[in-house]
Amino acid sequence: MTSRAEMAADFVTRLAADAEPDARLGTKEELRLRCGVSVGTFNEALRLLLARGVVTVRPGSGGGLFAARQTPMVRLGHSVLALDASEADVAEALRIRRALEPLLWQDALWHASPADVRDLRVILEGMREAAEAGDADAFVQANWGLHQRVAEVAPSPLLRSLYGNLLDLVAAHAAEVRPGAGRSLAEYVLERHRLHAAMVDALDARDGAVLMRLVADHDAVADEDSGRRTADGSRPSGGVGT
């Protein structure tokens, strides 16, 4: 589910996208009131906005939040954020995200440090605990965290940004995992944990042939076995990409 900070950040992002570069959007308090969130929530939204290069902050009289001059990278991120929760948008985001997976893991083969691998193993442990507890929601959140951590290894800002925005879009509108016929949910998430653990093992061993085969298996099973639920509770076809 999208957090209130993310919703506030999205609201200000739309304001900035419609404004001229360097246009004043309002004071922090004015924008906070328009978003209808607490001070702490708006501060978190502002952190997101600054990290994404959406706004600049100027102190003093006449200060406040101003629309940043947007680089092509920022505009690309905005184009993804502008997508809505329709089945077509999320399905397309899933399709493109899956196409990027081999690039991410190939980059990780070359650039992942021992510290990166340790971080991935910590996330895997969280996935294992969620799977053994039968907590599918926690499993999916940890799973997305693992993929996001792999993306952070990529040296390409363009690849990191595009993948991260697509993952955010999917995560905001995907609510459940649905195993294929003949398997229980518990069996499915444990199997997915084992597959991800094998991927990290291959990465750690720098075994590219095995890793790429596992990535292909990962995407094929995700296409076949997982499902999502839209905001209205319906369950269209497609996978959450676990």
Side-chain angles (χ1 to χ4, degrees), residues 66-86:
F66 292 76
R69 291 188 176 273
Q70 297 173 8
T71 65
M73 187 78 72
V74 172
R75 289 196 296 272
L76 175 62
H78 288 173
S79 70
V80 176
L81 291 172
L83 297 173
D84 61 31
S86 72

Side-chain angles (χ1 to χ4, degrees), residues 172-220:
H173 302 296
E176 67 179 28
V177 177
R178 187 175 64 225
R183 281 188 295 173
S184 69
L185 180 60
E187 291 171 333
Y188 176 75
V189 293
L190 284 169
E191 177 184 314
R192 297 304 282 170
H193 169 262
R194 287 192 292 269
L195 177 57
H196 285 81
M199 291 163 68
V200 174
D201 286 343
L203 172 63
D204 196 9
R206 296 300 192 265
D207 191 332
V210 170
L211 179 57
M212 290 301 102
R213 176 177 59 77
L214 292 169
V215 170
D217 290 345
H218 167 277
D219 290 343

Side-chain angles (χ1 to χ4, degrees), residues 76-165:
L76 175 62
H78 288 173
S79 70
V80 176
L81 291 172
L83 297 173
D84 61 31
S86 72
E87 178 180 353
D89 280 343
V90 177
E92 187 69 1
L94 282 165
R95 187 174 73 89
I96 297 170
R97 203 209 91 183
R98 283 194 292 270
L100 296 177
E101 289 284 349
L103 290 176
L104 291 174
W105 289 93
Q106 286 169 3
D107 276 1
L109 276 172
W110 287 97
H111 299 284
S113 68
D116 293 324
V117 174
R118 285 195 297 272
D119 285 350
L120 293 174
R121 293 199 184 281
V122 169
I123 299 171
L124 277 171
E125 181 62 17
M127 290 173 65
R128 183 191 64 78
E129 292 174 354
E132 292 180 350
D135 189 339
D137 288 342
F139 180 85
V140 170
Q141 293 299 322
N143 176 277
W144 287 327
L146 182 95
H147 286 270
Q148 182 60 59
R149 186 64 183 84
V150 173
E152 291 170 6
V153 176
S156 166
L158 177 59
L159 180 57
R160 290 197 307 270
S161 177
L162 181 56
Y163 184 88
N165 279 301

